[in-house]
Amino acid sequence: MTPGITPETTERDKPKETPSPADLMKRRRRKSLWLVVGMLCLALLVVALGIYTTTRTESLSVTGYASGIILAFGSFLGVLGLCLDENRKQLLIAAIVFLSFGILTSFFCVVVDGVFILLSLDTRPLRAGRCQFYTSGNGYIYENYYASVPCQGLVESCSLKVRSGTCYCCDLYDCANGGYMNNQYEFVGVRSCQEVLSLYILIWVLTLLNLVAFILGILTTAVLGSIKDMKSHTVIPNGSSQLSILHLRDSTILPPTAPLLPDTAGHSLYPSTSMYFTPPAGTEAHQSGRLDTPRPEPLPPPFAPLYSLLPYKTQGFSV
């Protein structure tokens, strides 16, 4: 081995093989499939978290799960379009349409959950422990039972009607106006006031997931849009097969029963005088003088008439 040259340098200097268009198409589809599967998992996570957050309390109407449903359906159609060969373009177009609606819905959910709901929540009384939890026991249904509880606010005190299983904050309740146009001061259907803090964190997480789904949905839609119009590349045959195909296409094979046409020189009606008969000696010598290399005479075709091979006989009557 030459000094100073290692196997690593030789492998590095070797030219890399250029992948074929079919391989590039397969790699691109594989990467797109991973992206769409990730979008599907994120959408299912948004659906699960949104439904769980919505069912924690009746006082807040969280809308984050709506975008997850639309994005999940669109991602499922995208996975089918990338995995199946039949109706691929139609499935990808349907996936792009549903993903587009999901992107708009996720933006709407980010605005509603992140601006209107989170800004209406003030967790300072909850963290300070100034909120009370009211329950009438397990024998009463909180949807149909109301009770008047004393509420001591920052300025004045009043009575507040709440249902069973409610966490209320008197610091956020306006006794003079009855809590009208104020922040959210009660949470119905919770088990404790500490659950409201976990609910506040879940709404923040759901809003961030919708924001990520909004960005990832735009990227997924762009990738599927670039793939839906691409066609699969056919394998090109090698040069030898192409030459053989061209040779067979250009060559003219005449059957024995084909009509005899004059050749290019116009001397004879037969394509070759040496196909069935042996030329005379003088003619052979004359042709051998013109041609440097003699041509091998072809064999007669299998359907050649037999009378052409018989010796020539003159017709006449014998005495």
PDB file of all heavy atoms in Angstrom, residues 99-135:
ATOM      1  N   LEU A  99     -56.920  19.194   5.743  1.00  0.00           N
ATOM      2  CA  LEU A  99     -55.848  19.829   6.500  1.00  0.00           C
ATOM      3  C   LEU A  99     -55.951  21.355   6.442  1.00  0.00           C
ATOM      4  O   LEU A  99     -55.622  22.043   7.417  1.00  0.00           O
ATOM      5  CB  LEU A  99     -54.491  19.365   5.972  1.00  0.00           C
ATOM      6  CG  LEU A  99     -54.081  17.934   6.315  1.00  0.00           C
ATOM      7  CD1 LEU A  99     -52.773  17.576   5.623  1.00  0.00           C
ATOM      8  CD2 LEU A  99     -53.932  17.757   7.820  1.00  0.00           C
ATOM      9  N   SER A 100     -56.395  21.882   5.318  1.00  0.00           N
ATOM     10  CA  SER A 100     -56.574  23.335   5.213  1.00  0.00           C
ATOM     11  C   SER A 100     -57.655  23.831   6.169  1.00  0.00           C
ATOM     12  O   SER A 100     -57.478  24.843   6.860  1.00  0.00           O
ATOM     13  CB  SER A 100     -56.924  23.708   3.770  1.00  0.00           C
ATOM     14  OG  SER A 100     -55.908  23.289   2.876  1.00  0.00           O
ATOM     15  N   PHE A 101     -58.789  23.094   6.228  1.00  0.00           N
ATOM     16  CA  PHE A 101     -59.823  23.456   7.193  1.00  0.00           C
ATOM     17  C   PHE A 101     -59.318  23.289   8.629  1.00  0.00           C
ATOM     18  O   PHE A 101     -59.662  24.080   9.518  1.00  0.00           O
ATOM     19  CB  PHE A 101     -61.075  22.609   6.966  1.00  0.00           C
ATOM     20  CG  PHE A 101     -61.922  23.066   5.822  1.00  0.00           C
ATOM     21  CD1 PHE A 101     -61.982  22.338   4.648  1.00  0.00           C
ATOM     22  CD2 PHE A 101     -62.664  24.236   5.914  1.00  0.00           C
ATOM     23  CE1 PHE A 101     -62.759  22.765   3.585  1.00  0.00           C
ATOM     24  CE2 PHE A 101     -63.451  24.670   4.850  1.00  0.00           C
ATOM     25  CZ  PHE A 101     -63.502  23.930   3.684  1.00  0.00           C
ATOM     26  N   GLY A 102     -58.514  22.261   8.867  1.00  0.00           N
ATOM     27  CA  GLY A 102     -57.960  22.062  10.207  1.00  0.00           C
ATOM     28  C   GLY A 102     -57.004  23.169  10.616  1.00  0.00           C
ATOM     29  O   GLY A 102     -56.940  23.555  11.790  1.00  0.00           O
ATOM     30  N   ILE A 103     -56.251  23.688   9.649  1.00  0.00           N
ATOM     31  CA  ILE A 103     -55.331  24.799   9.949  1.00  0.00           C
ATOM     32  C   ILE A 103     -56.113  26.039  10.364  1.00  0.00           C
ATOM     33  O   ILE A 103     -55.767  26.717  11.341  1.00  0.00           O
ATOM     34  CB  ILE A 103     -54.447  25.076   8.720  1.00  0.00           C
ATOM     35  CG1 ILE A 103     -53.455  23.926   8.510  1.00  0.00           C
ATOM     36  CG2 ILE A 103     -53.685  26.382   8.877  1.00  0.00           C
ATOM     37  CD1 ILE A 103     -52.723  23.993   7.195  1.00  0.00           C
ATOM     38  N   LEU A 104     -57.181  26.342   9.637  1.00  0.00           N
ATOM     39  CA  LEU A 104     -58.007  27.496  10.004  1.00  0.00           C
ATOM     40  C   LEU A 104     -58.670  27.302  11.366  1.00  0.00           C
ATOM     41  O   LEU A 104     -58.752  28.244  12.178  1.00  0.00           O
ATOM     42  CB  LEU A 104     -59.075  27.737   8.927  1.00  0.00           C
ATOM     43  CG  LEU A 104     -58.561  28.105   7.527  1.00  0.00           C
ATOM     44  CD1 LEU A 104     -59.722  28.238   6.549  1.00  0.00           C
ATOM     45  CD2 LEU A 104     -57.759  29.392   7.574  1.00  0.00           C
ATOM     46  N   THR A 105     -59.131  26.074  11.634  1.00  0.00           N
ATOM     47  CA  THR A 105     -59.773  25.806  12.918  1.00  0.00           C
ATOM     48  C   THR A 105     -58.779  25.884  14.069  1.00  0.00           C
ATOM     49  O   THR A 105     -59.113  26.375  15.160  1.00  0.00           O
ATOM     50  CB  THR A 105     -60.436  24.423  12.885  1.00  0.00           C
ATOM     51  OG1 THR A 105     -61.237  24.301  11.718  1.00  0.00           O
ATOM     52  CG2 THR A 105     -61.307  24.199  14.101  1.00  0.00           C
ATOM     53  N   SER A 106     -57.564  25.405  13.851  1.00  0.00           N
ATOM     54  CA  SER A 106     -56.549  25.492  14.910  1.00  0.00           C
ATOM     55  C   SER A 106     -56.193  26.946  15.222  1.00  0.00           C
ATOM     56  O   SER A 106     -55.983  27.311  16.386  1.00  0.00           O
ATOM     57  CB  SER A 106     -55.305  24.710  14.489  1.00  0.00           C
ATOM     58  OG  SER A 106     -54.725  25.270  13.316  1.00  0.00           O
ATOM     59  N   PHE A 107     -56.144  27.783  14.199  1.00  0.00           N
ATOM     60  CA  PHE A 107     -55.894  29.207  14.445  1.00  0.00           C
ATOM     61  C   PHE A 107     -57.051  29.820  15.243  1.00  0.00           C
ATOM     62  O   PHE A 107     -56.832  30.624  16.164  1.00  0.00           O
ATOM     63  CB  PHE A 107     -55.722  29.932  13.113  1.00  0.00           C
ATOM     64  CG  PHE A 107     -55.502  31.412  13.256  1.00  0.00           C
ATOM     65  CD1 PHE A 107     -54.266  31.908  13.659  1.00  0.00           C
ATOM     66  CD2 PHE A 107     -56.532  32.304  12.989  1.00  0.00           C
ATOM     67  CE1 PHE A 107     -54.064  33.275  13.795  1.00  0.00           C
ATOM     68  CE2 PHE A 107     -56.334  33.667  13.125  1.00  0.00           C
ATOM     69  CZ  PHE A 107     -55.104  34.159  13.528  1.00  0.00           C
ATOM     70  N   PHE A 108     -58.269  29.428  14.913  1.00  0.00           N
ATOM     71  CA  PHE A 108     -59.432  29.915  15.658  1.00  0.00           C
ATOM     72  C   PHE A 108     -59.384  29.438  17.110  1.00  0.00           C
ATOM     73  O   PHE A 108     -59.704  30.198  18.040  1.00  0.00           O
ATOM     74  CB  PHE A 108     -60.705  29.433  14.966  1.00  0.00           C
ATOM     75  CG  PHE A 108     -61.974  29.790  15.691  1.00  0.00           C
ATOM     76  CD1 PHE A 108     -62.472  31.076  15.651  1.00  0.00           C
ATOM     77  CD2 PHE A 108     -62.659  28.818  16.411  1.00  0.00           C
ATOM     78  CE1 PHE A 108     -63.648  31.402  16.327  1.00  0.00           C
ATOM     79  CE2 PHE A 108     -63.823  29.141  17.088  1.00  0.00           C
ATOM     80  CZ  PHE A 108     -64.330  30.437  17.052  1.00  0.00           C
ATOM     81  N   CYS A 109     -58.966  28.189  17.318  1.00  0.00           N
ATOM     82  CA  CYS A 109     -58.875  27.661  18.682  1.00  0.00           C
ATOM     83  C   CYS A 109     -57.770  28.352  19.490  1.00  0.00           C
ATOM     84  O   CYS A 109     -57.914  28.571  20.703  1.00  0.00           O
ATOM     85  CB  CYS A 109     -58.626  26.157  18.641  1.00  0.00           C
ATOM     86  SG  CYS A 109     -60.009  25.196  17.989  1.00  0.00           S
ATOM     87  N   VAL A 110     -56.671  28.692  18.818  1.00  0.00           N
ATOM     88  CA  VAL A 110     -55.604  29.425  19.509  1.00  0.00           C
ATOM     89  C   VAL A 110     -56.104  30.786  19.968  1.00  0.00           C
ATOM     90  O   VAL A 110     -55.825  31.237  21.100  1.00  0.00           O
ATOM     91  CB  VAL A 110     -54.377  29.556  18.585  1.00  0.00           C
ATOM     92  CG1 VAL A 110     -53.381  30.559  19.145  1.00  0.00           C
ATOM     93  CG2 VAL A 110     -53.690  28.212  18.418  1.00  0.00           C
ATOM     94  N   VAL A 111     -56.885  31.454  19.126  1.00  0.00           N
ATOM     95  CA  VAL A 111     -57.402  32.775  19.498  1.00  0.00           C
ATOM     96  C   VAL A 111     -58.418  32.666  20.628  1.00  0.00           C
ATOM     97  O   VAL A 111     -58.384  33.438  21.604  1.00  0.00           O
ATOM     98  CB  VAL A 111     -58.014  33.458  18.259  1.00  0.00           C
ATOM     99  CG1 VAL A 111     -58.705  34.762  18.647  1.00  0.00           C
ATOM    100  CG2 VAL A 111     -56.940  33.716  17.220  1.00  0.00           C
ATOM    101  N   VAL A 112     -59.347  31.702  20.527  1.00  0.00           N
ATOM    102  CA  VAL A 112     -60.408  31.584  21.529  1.00  0.00           C
ATOM    103  C   VAL A 112     -59.843  31.103  22.867  1.00  0.00           C
ATOM    104  O   VAL A 112     -60.090  31.722  23.920  1.00  0.00           O
ATOM    105  CB  VAL A 112     -61.517  30.639  21.026  1.00  0.00           C
ATOM    106  CG1 VAL A 112     -62.524  30.349  22.132  1.00  0.00           C
ATOM    107  CG2 VAL A 112     -62.217  31.253  19.827  1.00  0.00           C
ATOM    108  N   ASP A 113     -59.089  29.986  22.847  1.00  0.00           N
ATOM    109  CA  ASP A 113     -58.586  29.423  24.104  1.00  0.00           C
ATOM    110  C   ASP A 113     -57.452  30.252  24.697  1.00  0.00           C
ATOM    111  O   ASP A 113     -57.337  30.373  25.922  1.00  0.00           O
ATOM    112  CB  ASP A 113     -58.113  27.988  23.882  1.00  0.00           C
ATOM    113  CG  ASP A 113     -59.252  27.077  23.457  1.00  0.00           C
ATOM    114  OD1 ASP A 113     -60.421  27.448  23.694  1.00  0.00           O
ATOM    115  OD2 ASP A 113     -58.974  26.010  22.881  1.00  0.00           O
ATOM    116  N   GLY A 114     -56.608  30.799  23.828  1.00  0.00           N
ATOM    117  CA  GLY A 114     -55.445  31.503  24.345  1.00  0.00           C
ATOM    118  C   GLY A 114     -55.685  32.947  24.692  1.00  0.00           C
ATOM    119  O   GLY A 114     -54.959  33.518  25.515  1.00  0.00           O
ATOM    120  N   VAL A 115     -56.700  33.558  24.091  1.00  0.00           N
ATOM    121  CA  VAL A 115     -56.942  34.982  24.340  1.00  0.00           C
ATOM    122  C   VAL A 115     -58.171  35.172  25.224  1.00  0.00           C
ATOM    123  O   VAL A 115     -58.082  35.754  26.316  1.00  0.00           O
ATOM    124  CB  VAL A 115     -57.101  35.746  23.008  1.00  0.00           C
ATOM    125  CG1 VAL A 115     -57.427  37.216  23.262  1.00  0.00           C
ATOM    126  CG2 VAL A 115     -55.827  35.629  22.178  1.00  0.00           C
ATOM    127  N   PHE A 116     -59.315  34.673  24.779  1.00  0.00           N
ATOM    128  CA  PHE A 116     -60.555  34.955  25.502  1.00  0.00           C
ATOM    129  C   PHE A 116     -60.669  34.162  26.807  1.00  0.00           C
ATOM    130  O   PHE A 116     -61.143  34.700  27.811  1.00  0.00           O
ATOM    131  CB  PHE A 116     -61.758  34.662  24.601  1.00  0.00           C
ATOM    132  CG  PHE A 116     -61.841  35.579  23.416  1.00  0.00           C
ATOM    133  CD1 PHE A 116     -61.425  35.165  22.160  1.00  0.00           C
ATOM    134  CD2 PHE A 116     -62.327  36.860  23.551  1.00  0.00           C
ATOM    135  CE1 PHE A 116     -61.509  36.011  21.068  1.00  0.00           C
ATOM    136  CE2 PHE A 116     -62.414  37.720  22.467  1.00  0.00           C
ATOM    137  CZ  PHE A 116     -62.002  37.292  21.212  1.00  0.00           C
ATOM    138  N   ILE A 117     -60.241  32.910  26.810  1.00  0.00           N
ATOM    139  CA  ILE A 117     -60.419  32.097  28.023  1.00  0.00           C
ATOM    140  C   ILE A 117     -59.296  32.341  29.024  1.00  0.00           C
ATOM    141  O   ILE A 117     -59.540  32.582  30.221  1.00  0.00           O
ATOM    142  CB  ILE A 117     -60.515  30.602  27.640  1.00  0.00           C
ATOM    143  CG1 ILE A 117     -61.802  30.355  26.854  1.00  0.00           C
ATOM    144  CG2 ILE A 117     -60.489  29.727  28.887  1.00  0.00           C
ATOM    145  CD1 ILE A 117     -62.012  28.922  26.454  1.00  0.00           C
ATOM    146  N   LEU A 118     -58.064  32.271  28.551  1.00  0.00           N
ATOM    147  CA  LEU A 118     -56.946  32.426  29.485  1.00  0.00           C
ATOM    148  C   LEU A 118     -56.861  33.836  30.065  1.00  0.00           C
ATOM    149  O   LEU A 118     -56.465  34.004  31.228  1.00  0.00           O
ATOM    150  CB  LEU A 118     -55.635  32.063  28.780  1.00  0.00           C
ATOM    151  CG  LEU A 118     -55.430  30.578  28.484  1.00  0.00           C
ATOM    152  CD1 LEU A 118     -54.134  30.362  27.721  1.00  0.00           C
ATOM    153  CD2 LEU A 118     -55.425  29.763  29.769  1.00  0.00           C
ATOM    154  N   LEU A 119     -57.223  34.846  29.281  1.00  0.00           N
ATOM    155  CA  LEU A 119     -57.185  36.204  29.810  1.00  0.00           C
ATOM    156  C   LEU A 119     -58.318  36.477  30.799  1.00  0.00           C
ATOM    157  O   LEU A 119     -58.235  37.415  31.603  1.00  0.00           O
ATOM    158  CB  LEU A 119     -57.244  37.222  28.666  1.00  0.00           C
ATOM    159  CG  LEU A 119     -56.005  37.281  27.765  1.00  0.00           C
ATOM    160  CD1 LEU A 119     -56.170  38.360  26.702  1.00  0.00           C
ATOM    161  CD2 LEU A 119     -54.746  37.537  28.579  1.00  0.00           C
ATOM    162  N   SER A 120     -59.381  35.669  30.729  1.00  0.00           N
ATOM    163  CA  SER A 120     -60.480  35.834  31.675  1.00  0.00           C
ATOM    164  C   SER A 120     -60.253  35.091  32.987  1.00  0.00           C
ATOM    165  O   SER A 120     -61.089  35.202  33.897  1.00  0.00           O
ATOM    166  CB  SER A 120     -61.792  35.363  31.044  1.00  0.00           C
ATOM    167  OG  SER A 120     -61.741  33.962  30.796  1.00  0.00           O
ATOM    168  N   LEU A 121     -59.175  34.352  33.078  1.00  0.00           N
ATOM    169  CA  LEU A 121     -58.867  33.597  34.299  1.00  0.00           C
ATOM    170  C   LEU A 121     -57.818  34.350  35.106  1.00  0.00           C
ATOM    171  O   LEU A 121     -56.753  34.693  34.589  1.00  0.00           O
ATOM    172  CB  LEU A 121     -58.364  32.188  33.951  1.00  0.00           C
ATOM    173  CG  LEU A 121     -59.355  31.259  33.244  1.00  0.00           C
ATOM    174  CD1 LEU A 121     -58.684  29.927  32.937  1.00  0.00           C
ATOM    175  CD2 LEU A 121     -60.598  31.036  34.095  1.00  0.00           C
ATOM    176  N   ASP A 122     -58.129  34.567  36.356  1.00  0.00           N
ATOM    177  CA  ASP A 122     -57.187  35.191  37.286  1.00  0.00           C
ATOM    178  C   ASP A 122     -56.897  34.175  38.384  1.00  0.00           C
ATOM    179  O   ASP A 122     -57.769  33.857  39.202  1.00  0.00           O
ATOM    180  CB  ASP A 122     -57.782  36.474  37.865  1.00  0.00           C
ATOM    181  CG  ASP A 122     -56.739  37.291  38.629  1.00  0.00           C
ATOM    182  OD1 ASP A 122     -55.575  36.834  38.718  1.00  0.00           O
ATOM    183  OD2 ASP A 122     -57.091  38.382  39.136  1.00  0.00           O
ATOM    184  N   THR A 123     -55.707  33.648  38.381  1.00  0.00           N
ATOM    185  CA  THR A 123     -55.344  32.583  39.322  1.00  0.00           C
ATOM    186  C   THR A 123     -54.693  33.105  40.599  1.00  0.00           C
ATOM    187  O   THR A 123     -54.267  32.287  41.420  1.00  0.00           O
ATOM    188  CB  THR A 123     -54.386  31.593  38.634  1.00  0.00           C
ATOM    189  OG1 THR A 123     -53.217  32.302  38.187  1.00  0.00           O
ATOM    190  CG2 THR A 123     -55.057  30.924  37.442  1.00  0.00           C
ATOM    191  N   ARG A 124     -54.607  34.389  40.786  1.00  0.00           N
ATOM    192  CA  ARG A 124     -53.983  34.910  42.007  1.00  0.00           C
ATOM    193  C   ARG A 124     -54.764  34.558  43.267  1.00  0.00           C
ATOM    194  O   ARG A 124     -54.162  34.132  44.263  1.00  0.00           O
ATOM    195  CB  ARG A 124     -53.809  36.428  41.884  1.00  0.00           C
ATOM    196  CG  ARG A 124     -52.739  36.827  40.873  1.00  0.00           C
ATOM    197  CD  ARG A 124     -52.650  38.330  40.759  1.00  0.00           C
ATOM    198  NE  ARG A 124     -53.883  38.899  40.217  1.00  0.00           N
ATOM    199  CZ  ARG A 124     -54.100  40.207  40.061  1.00  0.00           C
ATOM    200  NH1 ARG A 124     -53.160  41.089  40.416  1.00  0.00           N
ATOM    201  NH2 ARG A 124     -55.242  40.646  39.562  1.00  0.00           N
ATOM    202  N   PRO A 125     -56.114  34.683  43.294  1.00  0.00           N
ATOM    203  CA  PRO A 125     -56.832  34.232  44.505  1.00  0.00           C
ATOM    204  C   PRO A 125     -56.722  32.726  44.739  1.00  0.00           C
ATOM    205  O   PRO A 125     -56.704  32.269  45.888  1.00  0.00           O
ATOM    206  CB  PRO A 125     -58.278  34.654  44.248  1.00  0.00           C
ATOM    207  CG  PRO A 125     -58.185  35.741  43.254  1.00  0.00           C
ATOM    208  CD  PRO A 125     -57.022  35.384  42.384  1.00  0.00           C
ATOM    209  N   LEU A 126     -56.647  31.955  43.635  1.00  0.00           N
ATOM    210  CA  LEU A 126     -56.505  30.509  43.787  1.00  0.00           C
ATOM    211  C   LEU A 126     -55.165  30.155  44.414  1.00  0.00           C
ATOM    212  O   LEU A 126     -55.081  29.297  45.301  1.00  0.00           O
ATOM    213  CB  LEU A 126     -56.663  29.827  42.429  1.00  0.00           C
ATOM    214  CG  LEU A 126     -58.078  29.802  41.829  1.00  0.00           C
ATOM    215  CD1 LEU A 126     -58.018  29.350  40.389  1.00  0.00           C
ATOM    216  CD2 LEU A 126     -58.977  28.886  42.647  1.00  0.00           C
ATOM    217  N   ARG A 127     -54.106  30.800  43.956  1.00  0.00           N
ATOM    218  CA  ARG A 127     -52.785  30.522  44.509  1.00  0.00           C
ATOM    219  C   ARG A 127     -52.631  31.032  45.937  1.00  0.00           C
ATOM    220  O   ARG A 127     -51.888  30.446  46.729  1.00  0.00           O
ATOM    221  CB  ARG A 127     -51.720  31.139  43.614  1.00  0.00           C
ATOM    222  CG  ARG A 127     -51.663  30.506  42.228  1.00  0.00           C
ATOM    223  CD  ARG A 127     -50.676  31.233  41.325  1.00  0.00           C
ATOM    224  NE  ARG A 127     -50.649  30.634  40.011  1.00  0.00           N
ATOM    225  CZ  ARG A 127     -49.936  31.118  38.987  1.00  0.00           C
ATOM    226  NH1 ARG A 127     -49.196  32.230  39.163  1.00  0.00           N
ATOM    227  NH2 ARG A 127     -49.983  30.527  37.820  1.00  0.00           N
ATOM    228  N   ALA A 128     -53.361  32.095  46.269  1.00  0.00           N
ATOM    229  CA  ALA A 128     -53.295  32.622  47.633  1.00  0.00           C
ATOM    230  C   ALA A 128     -54.192  31.866  48.596  1.00  0.00           C
ATOM    231  O   ALA A 128     -54.125  32.106  49.817  1.00  0.00           O
ATOM    232  CB  ALA A 128     -53.674  34.103  47.627  1.00  0.00           C
ATOM    233  N   GLY A 129     -55.049  30.977  48.084  1.00  0.00           N
ATOM    234  CA  GLY A 129     -55.930  30.207  48.950  1.00  0.00           C
ATOM    235  C   GLY A 129     -57.140  30.971  49.439  1.00  0.00           C
ATOM    236  O   GLY A 129     -57.698  30.645  50.493  1.00  0.00           O
ATOM    237  N   ARG A 130     -57.593  31.973  48.709  1.00  0.00           N
ATOM    238  CA  ARG A 130     -58.726  32.794  49.110  1.00  0.00           C
ATOM    239  C   ARG A 130     -60.027  32.342  48.447  1.00  0.00           C
ATOM    240  O   ARG A 130     -61.042  33.021  48.551  1.00  0.00           O
ATOM    241  CB  ARG A 130     -58.473  34.256  48.784  1.00  0.00           C
ATOM    242  CG  ARG A 130     -57.324  34.869  49.586  1.00  0.00           C
ATOM    243  CD  ARG A 130     -57.148  36.338  49.235  1.00  0.00           C
ATOM    244  NE  ARG A 130     -58.384  37.100  49.446  1.00  0.00           N
ATOM    245  CZ  ARG A 130     -58.761  37.627  50.613  1.00  0.00           C
ATOM    246  NH1 ARG A 130     -57.992  37.453  51.698  1.00  0.00           N
ATOM    247  NH2 ARG A 130     -59.884  38.323  50.707  1.00  0.00           N
ATOM    248  N   CYS A 131     -60.022  31.235  47.750  1.00  0.00           N
ATOM    249  CA  CYS A 131     -61.237  30.706  47.114  1.00  0.00           C
ATOM    250  C   CYS A 131     -61.811  29.586  47.970  1.00  0.00           C
ATOM    251  O   CYS A 131     -61.074  28.849  48.649  1.00  0.00           O
ATOM    252  CB  CYS A 131     -60.934  30.200  45.713  1.00  0.00           C
ATOM    253  SG  CYS A 131     -60.357  31.476  44.574  1.00  0.00           S
ATOM    254  N   GLN A 132     -63.120  29.425  47.934  1.00  0.00           N
ATOM    255  CA  GLN A 132     -63.810  28.410  48.723  1.00  0.00           C
ATOM    256  C   GLN A 132     -64.444  27.374  47.794  1.00  0.00           C
ATOM    257  O   GLN A 132     -64.809  27.677  46.657  1.00  0.00           O
ATOM    258  CB  GLN A 132     -64.898  29.035  49.597  1.00  0.00           C
ATOM    259  CG  GLN A 132     -64.390  29.927  50.721  1.00  0.00           C
ATOM    260  CD  GLN A 132     -64.031  31.313  50.236  1.00  0.00           C
ATOM    261  OE1 GLN A 132     -64.598  31.787  49.250  1.00  0.00           O
ATOM    262  NE2 GLN A 132     -63.091  31.955  50.928  1.00  0.00           N
ATOM    263  N   PHE A 133     -64.590  26.197  48.333  1.00  0.00           N
ATOM    264  CA  PHE A 133     -65.215  25.103  47.587  1.00  0.00           C
ATOM    265  C   PHE A 133     -66.472  24.695  48.340  1.00  0.00           C
ATOM    266  O   PHE A 133     -66.434  24.411  49.548  1.00  0.00           O
ATOM    267  CB  PHE A 133     -64.260  23.917  47.474  1.00  0.00           C
ATOM    268  CG  PHE A 133     -64.849  22.731  46.749  1.00  0.00           C
ATOM    269  CD1 PHE A 133     -65.032  22.758  45.377  1.00  0.00           C
ATOM    270  CD2 PHE A 133     -65.232  21.598  47.456  1.00  0.00           C
ATOM    271  CE1 PHE A 133     -65.577  21.677  44.712  1.00  0.00           C
ATOM    272  CE2 PHE A 133     -65.772  20.512  46.791  1.00  0.00           C
ATOM    273  CZ  PHE A 133     -65.946  20.545  45.413  1.00  0.00           C
ATOM    274  N   TYR A 134     -67.588  24.653  47.613  1.00  0.00           N
ATOM    275  CA  TYR A 134     -68.868  24.302  48.230  1.00  0.00           C
ATOM    276  C   TYR A 134     -69.351  22.979  47.666  1.00  0.00           C
ATOM    277  O   TYR A 134     -69.359  22.779  46.444  1.00  0.00           O
ATOM    278  CB  TYR A 134     -69.921  25.382  47.966  1.00  0.00           C
ATOM    279  CG  TYR A 134     -71.298  24.982  48.406  1.00  0.00           C
ATOM    280  CD1 TYR A 134     -71.649  24.996  49.755  1.00  0.00           C
ATOM    281  CD2 TYR A 134     -72.258  24.557  47.477  1.00  0.00           C
ATOM    282  CE1 TYR A 134     -72.913  24.615  50.177  1.00  0.00           C
ATOM    283  CE2 TYR A 134     -73.517  24.171  47.875  1.00  0.00           C
ATOM    284  CZ  TYR A 134     -73.833  24.204  49.218  1.00  0.00           C
ATOM    285  OH  TYR A 134     -75.089  23.811  49.638  1.00  0.00           O
ATOM    286  N   THR A 135     -69.795  22.088  48.580  1.00  0.00           N
ATOM    287  CA  THR A 135     -70.415  20.832  48.198  1.00  0.00           C
ATOM    288  C   THR A 135     -71.508  20.521  49.194  1.00  0.00           C
ATOM    289  O   THR A 135     -71.381  20.792  50.397  1.00  0.00           O
ATOM    290  CB  THR A 135     -69.386  19.691  48.152  1.00  0.00           C
ATOM    291  OG1 THR A 135     -70.048  18.479  47.809  1.00  0.00           O
ATOM    292  CG2 THR A 135     -68.673  19.522  49.480  1.00  0.00           C
TER     293      THR A 135
END
